[in-house]
Amino acid sequence: MKVLIGTRNPHKLEEIRRILGDIPGIEWLTFREHPFPEVEETGTTLEENARLKAVSTAQATGLPTLAEDSGLEVAALGGAPGVLSSRFAGVEKDYRANNEKLLELLSGEENRRARFRAVAALALPDGRSWLTEGILEGEIATSPRGAHGFGYDPLFIPVGETRTLAELSPEEKDRISHRRRALERLRPLLSSLARGEL
Ligand code: ITT
């Protein structure tokens, strides 16, 4: 069964393939093998945007599609940047500017609690869709550290760790990440899909 991964973010793509690449009977396709139209993220929640990306890409391509919307929610900022995480500093996916803005807003702030949240969506061309969620709790460091991962990883220290996500190896990040948790919850559905049971 061919299933399209509905993201253009190469880091996400790599993580999704590492986490779900082993499901028997699923052949993963990406925008490289099967280009699809860009979806405007007009939703106001991660749930809305994940569903929007999965459903519209599945309908445009005729392929079952897995999409994901994720963000960083910082307690002292009332849950911001949240759904706006990718464009926090104004320009889409400018990770360095986003991290600088976050550090600036939190300067002198003692409450550095934050969480990463991922919402994964599986959609079929007939319009049916399913959502799952994964959360990773942690706190925001006072300066960036580490070279792995992407986005806010250099600033995010998972609960129980002293290192940032960017200092963990990719395998260590995968064991605990919000993305891993959301995607694992889709695994049973994907297995059913592969067996032709959905
Ligand atoms: P697609 O819409 O094509 O999937 P995107 O990067 O625009 O790619 P989102 O709209 O879901 O994806 O934005 C997610 C942003 O949240 C991402 O750009 C990072 O800033 C942040 N983020 C999400 N997961 C992260 C992670 O595991 N590590 C670091 N930052 C993360």
Side-chain angles (χ1 to χ4, degrees):
M1 172 76 64
K2 290 181 167 43
V3 181
L4 187 59
I5 305 179
T7 179
R8 280 190 180 71
N9 181 324
H11 305 280
K12 277 192 184 182
L13 203 53
E14 202 182 308
E15 292 189 12
I16 293 169
R17 292 186 89 138
R18 281 205 308 264
I19 293 165
L20 292 179
D22 63 339
I23 301 180
I26 301 249
E27 181 192 342
W28 293 105
L29 300 179
T30 73
F31 66 92
R32 298 188 186 101
E33 301 85 46
H34 199 101
F36 51 82
E38 183 110 28
V39 180
E40 214 191 323
E41 297 187 29
T42 52
T44 55
T45 60
L46 298 181
E47 283 76 6
E48 280 180 66
N49 280 340
R51 199 186 292 277
L52 199 62
K53 287 189 267 192
V55 170
S56 44
T57 307
Q59 285 177 342
T61 60
L63 287 169
T65 302
L66 170 76
E68 181 257 279
D69 207 52
S70 44
L72 178 70
E73 299 176 345
V74 179
L77 302 179
V83 73
L84 299 176
S85 292
S86 171
R87 34 194 156 135
F88 192 32
V91 180
E92 188 97 356
K93 295 194 189 71
D94 186 340
Y95 298 141
R96 181 194 285 263
N98 287 343
N99 284 347
E100 279 170 8
K101 176 167 179 183
L102 179 60
L103 280 181
E104 218 170 277
L105 288 175
L106 288 182
S107 93
E109 175 61 59
E110 275 179 25
N111 176 10
R112 308 195 68 92
R113 275 195 309 116
R115 64 182 197 172
F116 269 124
R117 200 159 74 85
V119 176
L122 175 67
L124 303 185
D126 66 11
R128 281 181 292 161
S129 63
W130 296 264
L131 293 184
T132 58
E133 183 193 50
I135 287 172
L136 175 62
E137 301 280 352
E139 60 181 57
I140 303 301
T142 48
S143 59
R145 300 194 311 260
H148 294 294
F150 70 104
Y152 300 94
D153 283 347
L155 286 181
F156 189 88
I157 305 171
V159 67
E161 261 295 335
T162 52
R163 295 172 296 171
T164 67
L165 275 181
E167 291 178 304
L168 302 188
S169 68
E171 294 71 30
E172 286 175 309
K173 177 179 176 184
D174 288 350
R175 274 204 285 277
I176 58 171
S177 77
H178 48 307
R179 186 159 294 106
R180 166 71 182 275
R181 289 171 181 164
L183 293 175
E184 283 301 338
R185 294 185 171 128
L186 274 186
R187 184 182 285 271
L189 268 168
L190 287 161
S191 295
S192 301
L193 177 66
R195 291 194 298 267
E197 293 168 1
L198 281 192

PDB file of all heavy atoms in Angstrom, residues 122-142:
ATOM      1  N   LEU A 122      -3.996  10.968   9.641  1.00  0.00           N
ATOM      2  CA  LEU A 122      -4.024  10.056   8.500  1.00  0.00           C
ATOM      3  C   LEU A 122      -5.340  10.299   7.775  1.00  0.00           C
ATOM      4  O   LEU A 122      -6.401  10.322   8.415  1.00  0.00           O
ATOM      5  CB  LEU A 122      -3.965   8.605   8.987  1.00  0.00           C
ATOM      6  CG  LEU A 122      -4.102   7.543   7.890  1.00  0.00           C
ATOM      7  CD1 LEU A 122      -2.901   7.569   6.951  1.00  0.00           C
ATOM      8  CD2 LEU A 122      -4.255   6.146   8.500  1.00  0.00           C
ATOM      9  N   ALA A 123      -5.259  10.545   6.467  1.00  0.00           N
ATOM     10  CA  ALA A 123      -6.487  10.773   5.697  1.00  0.00           C
ATOM     11  C   ALA A 123      -6.519   9.874   4.473  1.00  0.00           C
ATOM     12  O   ALA A 123      -5.482   9.568   3.876  1.00  0.00           O
ATOM     13  CB  ALA A 123      -6.575  12.240   5.258  1.00  0.00           C
ATOM     14  N   LEU A 124      -7.718   9.430   4.111  1.00  0.00           N
ATOM     15  CA  LEU A 124      -7.915   8.625   2.903  1.00  0.00           C
ATOM     16  C   LEU A 124      -8.556   9.505   1.833  1.00  0.00           C
ATOM     17  O   LEU A 124      -9.217  10.502   2.156  1.00  0.00           O
ATOM     18  CB  LEU A 124      -8.823   7.428   3.203  1.00  0.00           C
ATOM     19  CG  LEU A 124      -8.351   6.497   4.321  1.00  0.00           C
ATOM     20  CD1 LEU A 124      -9.274   5.281   4.432  1.00  0.00           C
ATOM     21  CD2 LEU A 124      -6.915   6.044   4.071  1.00  0.00           C
ATOM     22  N   PRO A 125      -8.368   9.147   0.564  1.00  0.00           N
ATOM     23  CA  PRO A 125      -8.939   9.964  -0.516  1.00  0.00           C
ATOM     24  C   PRO A 125     -10.457  10.103  -0.423  1.00  0.00           C
ATOM     25  O   PRO A 125     -11.025  11.066  -0.932  1.00  0.00           O
ATOM     26  CB  PRO A 125      -8.541   9.201  -1.788  1.00  0.00           C
ATOM     27  CG  PRO A 125      -7.350   8.394  -1.396  1.00  0.00           C
ATOM     28  CD  PRO A 125      -7.510   8.052   0.052  1.00  0.00           C
ATOM     29  N   ASP A 126     -11.141   9.162   0.271  1.00  0.00           N
ATOM     30  CA  ASP A 126     -12.607   9.277   0.384  1.00  0.00           C
ATOM     31  C   ASP A 126     -13.040  10.282   1.454  1.00  0.00           C
ATOM     32  O   ASP A 126     -14.227  10.463   1.701  1.00  0.00           O
ATOM     33  CB  ASP A 126     -13.232   7.900   0.664  1.00  0.00           C
ATOM     34  CG  ASP A 126     -12.844   7.331   2.035  1.00  0.00           C
ATOM     35  OD1 ASP A 126     -12.274   8.070   2.868  1.00  0.00           O
ATOM     36  OD2 ASP A 126     -13.120   6.146   2.275  1.00  0.00           O
ATOM     37  N   GLY A 127     -12.061  10.949   2.115  1.00  0.00           N
ATOM     38  CA  GLY A 127     -12.413  12.006   3.068  1.00  0.00           C
ATOM     39  C   GLY A 127     -12.343  11.582   4.533  1.00  0.00           C
ATOM     40  O   GLY A 127     -12.364  12.426   5.425  1.00  0.00           O
ATOM     41  N   ARG A 128     -12.235  10.260   4.807  1.00  0.00           N
ATOM     42  CA  ARG A 128     -12.124   9.847   6.215  1.00  0.00           C
ATOM     43  C   ARG A 128     -10.760  10.264   6.771  1.00  0.00           C
ATOM     44  O   ARG A 128      -9.762  10.242   6.049  1.00  0.00           O
ATOM     45  CB  ARG A 128     -12.286   8.329   6.332  1.00  0.00           C
ATOM     46  CG  ARG A 128     -13.720   7.860   6.258  1.00  0.00           C
ATOM     47  CD  ARG A 128     -13.809   6.356   6.405  1.00  0.00           C
ATOM     48  NE  ARG A 128     -13.232   5.670   5.253  1.00  0.00           N
ATOM     49  CZ  ARG A 128     -12.842   4.393   5.264  1.00  0.00           C
ATOM     50  NH1 ARG A 128     -12.977   3.676   6.362  1.00  0.00           N
ATOM     51  NH2 ARG A 128     -12.324   3.839   4.177  1.00  0.00           N
ATOM     52  N   SER A 129     -10.705  10.619   8.067  1.00  0.00           N
ATOM     53  CA  SER A 129      -9.415  10.988   8.657  1.00  0.00           C
ATOM     54  C   SER A 129      -9.389  10.657  10.141  1.00  0.00           C
ATOM     55  O   SER A 129     -10.441  10.548  10.778  1.00  0.00           O
ATOM     56  CB  SER A 129      -9.134  12.478   8.438  1.00  0.00           C
ATOM     57  OG  SER A 129     -10.096  13.259   9.101  1.00  0.00           O
ATOM     58  N   TRP A 130      -8.184  10.466  10.653  1.00  0.00           N
ATOM     59  CA  TRP A 130      -7.960  10.132  12.059  1.00  0.00           C
ATOM     60  C   TRP A 130      -6.834  11.014  12.588  1.00  0.00           C
ATOM     61  O   TRP A 130      -5.861  11.298  11.878  1.00  0.00           O
ATOM     62  CB  TRP A 130      -7.521   8.676  12.206  1.00  0.00           C
ATOM     63  CG  TRP A 130      -8.548   7.684  11.777  1.00  0.00           C
ATOM     64  CD1 TRP A 130      -9.440   7.028  12.579  1.00  0.00           C
ATOM     65  CD2 TRP A 130      -8.794   7.192  10.442  1.00  0.00           C
ATOM     66  NE1 TRP A 130     -10.228   6.174  11.820  1.00  0.00           N
ATOM     67  CE2 TRP A 130      -9.853   6.262  10.517  1.00  0.00           C
ATOM     68  CE3 TRP A 130      -8.233   7.479   9.186  1.00  0.00           C
ATOM     69  CZ2 TRP A 130     -10.347   5.605   9.390  1.00  0.00           C
ATOM     70  CZ3 TRP A 130      -8.729   6.814   8.064  1.00  0.00           C
ATOM     71  CH2 TRP A 130      -9.776   5.895   8.182  1.00  0.00           C
ATOM     72  N   LEU A 131      -6.959  11.435  13.854  1.00  0.00           N
ATOM     73  CA  LEU A 131      -5.927  12.287  14.479  1.00  0.00           C
ATOM     74  C   LEU A 131      -5.361  11.619  15.724  1.00  0.00           C
ATOM     75  O   LEU A 131      -6.107  10.986  16.478  1.00  0.00           O
ATOM     76  CB  LEU A 131      -6.534  13.622  14.935  1.00  0.00           C
ATOM     77  CG  LEU A 131      -7.040  14.630  13.920  1.00  0.00           C
ATOM     78  CD1 LEU A 131      -7.489  15.906  14.630  1.00  0.00           C
ATOM     79  CD2 LEU A 131      -5.957  14.980  12.903  1.00  0.00           C
ATOM     80  N   THR A 132      -4.070  11.789  15.959  1.00  0.00           N
ATOM     81  CA  THR A 132      -3.464  11.353  17.230  1.00  0.00           C
ATOM     82  C   THR A 132      -2.563  12.475  17.741  1.00  0.00           C
ATOM     83  O   THR A 132      -2.117  13.335  16.968  1.00  0.00           O
ATOM     84  CB  THR A 132      -2.609  10.080  17.066  1.00  0.00           C
ATOM     85  OG1 THR A 132      -1.583  10.346  16.098  1.00  0.00           O
ATOM     86  CG2 THR A 132      -3.441   8.892  16.632  1.00  0.00           C
ATOM     87  N   GLU A 133      -2.269  12.434  19.044  1.00  0.00           N
ATOM     88  CA  GLU A 133      -1.474  13.505  19.661  1.00  0.00           C
ATOM     89  C   GLU A 133      -0.286  12.923  20.433  1.00  0.00           C
ATOM     90  O   GLU A 133      -0.383  11.823  20.990  1.00  0.00           O
ATOM     91  CB  GLU A 133      -2.381  14.258  20.639  1.00  0.00           C
ATOM     92  CG  GLU A 133      -1.709  15.435  21.309  1.00  0.00           C
ATOM     93  CD  GLU A 133      -2.514  15.962  22.500  1.00  0.00           C
ATOM     94  OE1 GLU A 133      -2.921  15.169  23.373  1.00  0.00           O
ATOM     95  OE2 GLU A 133      -2.721  17.181  22.556  1.00  0.00           O
ATOM     96  N   GLY A 134       0.807  13.659  20.461  1.00  0.00           N
ATOM     97  CA  GLY A 134       1.949  13.275  21.286  1.00  0.00           C
ATOM     98  C   GLY A 134       2.550  14.501  21.945  1.00  0.00           C
ATOM     99  O   GLY A 134       2.619  15.575  21.321  1.00  0.00           O
ATOM    100  N   ILE A 135       2.938  14.356  23.228  1.00  0.00           N
ATOM    101  CA  ILE A 135       3.457  15.509  23.979  1.00  0.00           C
ATOM    102  C   ILE A 135       4.806  15.151  24.590  1.00  0.00           C
ATOM    103  O   ILE A 135       5.015  14.034  25.062  1.00  0.00           O
ATOM    104  CB  ILE A 135       2.449  15.910  25.082  1.00  0.00           C
ATOM    105  CG1 ILE A 135       1.231  16.593  24.436  1.00  0.00           C
ATOM    106  CG2 ILE A 135       3.081  16.843  26.120  1.00  0.00           C
ATOM    107  CD1 ILE A 135       0.091  16.872  25.373  1.00  0.00           C
ATOM    108  N   LEU A 136       5.727  16.117  24.573  1.00  0.00           N
ATOM    109  CA  LEU A 136       6.996  15.976  25.299  1.00  0.00           C
ATOM    110  C   LEU A 136       7.162  17.199  26.200  1.00  0.00           C
ATOM    111  O   LEU A 136       7.230  18.327  25.710  1.00  0.00           O
ATOM    112  CB  LEU A 136       8.173  15.882  24.308  1.00  0.00           C
ATOM    113  CG  LEU A 136       9.563  15.847  24.956  1.00  0.00           C
ATOM    114  CD1 LEU A 136       9.736  14.616  25.845  1.00  0.00           C
ATOM    115  CD2 LEU A 136      10.661  15.871  23.885  1.00  0.00           C
ATOM    116  N   GLU A 137       7.208  16.952  27.519  1.00  0.00           N
ATOM    117  CA  GLU A 137       7.348  18.054  28.484  1.00  0.00           C
ATOM    118  C   GLU A 137       8.828  18.388  28.675  1.00  0.00           C
ATOM    119  O   GLU A 137       9.691  17.519  28.552  1.00  0.00           O
ATOM    120  CB  GLU A 137       6.779  17.643  29.852  1.00  0.00           C
ATOM    121  CG  GLU A 137       5.312  17.243  29.853  1.00  0.00           C
ATOM    122  CD  GLU A 137       4.352  18.424  29.863  1.00  0.00           C
ATOM    123  OE1 GLU A 137       4.824  19.581  30.014  1.00  0.00           O
ATOM    124  OE2 GLU A 137       3.140  18.185  29.701  1.00  0.00           O
ATOM    125  N   GLY A 138       9.098  19.641  29.024  1.00  0.00           N
ATOM    126  CA  GLY A 138      10.482  20.016  29.253  1.00  0.00           C
ATOM    127  C   GLY A 138      10.598  21.469  29.667  1.00  0.00           C
ATOM    128  O   GLY A 138       9.643  22.056  30.178  1.00  0.00           O
ATOM    129  N   GLU A 139      11.795  22.041  29.434  1.00  0.00           N
ATOM    130  CA  GLU A 139      11.976  23.462  29.726  1.00  0.00           C
ATOM    131  C   GLU A 139      12.921  24.107  28.718  1.00  0.00           C
ATOM    132  O   GLU A 139      13.640  23.419  27.987  1.00  0.00           O
ATOM    133  CB  GLU A 139      12.473  23.657  31.150  1.00  0.00           C
ATOM    134  CG  GLU A 139      13.786  22.982  31.434  1.00  0.00           C
ATOM    135  CD  GLU A 139      14.195  23.206  32.890  1.00  0.00           C
ATOM    136  OE1 GLU A 139      13.404  22.846  33.783  1.00  0.00           O
ATOM    137  OE2 GLU A 139      15.295  23.739  33.099  1.00  0.00           O
ATOM    138  N   ILE A 140      12.867  25.448  28.705  1.00  0.00           N
ATOM    139  CA  ILE A 140      13.667  26.197  27.732  1.00  0.00           C
ATOM    140  C   ILE A 140      15.010  26.592  28.365  1.00  0.00           C
ATOM    141  O   ILE A 140      15.049  27.214  29.431  1.00  0.00           O
ATOM    142  CB  ILE A 140      12.908  27.463  27.268  1.00  0.00           C
ATOM    143  CG1 ILE A 140      11.541  27.091  26.686  1.00  0.00           C
ATOM    144  CG2 ILE A 140      13.735  28.259  26.256  1.00  0.00           C
ATOM    145  CD1 ILE A 140      11.588  26.152  25.495  1.00  0.00           C
ATOM    146  N   ALA A 141      16.103  26.226  27.694  1.00  0.00           N
ATOM    147  CA  ALA A 141      17.456  26.540  28.164  1.00  0.00           C
ATOM    148  C   ALA A 141      17.705  28.052  28.055  1.00  0.00           C
ATOM    149  O   ALA A 141      16.927  28.784  27.442  1.00  0.00           O
ATOM    150  CB  ALA A 141      18.472  25.785  27.321  1.00  0.00           C
ATOM    151  N   THR A 142      18.812  28.515  28.664  1.00  0.00           N
ATOM    152  CA  THR A 142      19.087  29.957  28.601  1.00  0.00           C
ATOM    153  C   THR A 142      19.959  30.324  27.396  1.00  0.00           C
ATOM    154  O   THR A 142      20.105  31.503  27.064  1.00  0.00           O
ATOM    155  CB  THR A 142      19.775  30.439  29.898  1.00  0.00           C
ATOM    156  OG1 THR A 142      20.841  29.541  30.192  1.00  0.00           O
ATOM    157  CG2 THR A 142      18.790  30.453  31.055  1.00  0.00           C
TER     158      THR A 142
END
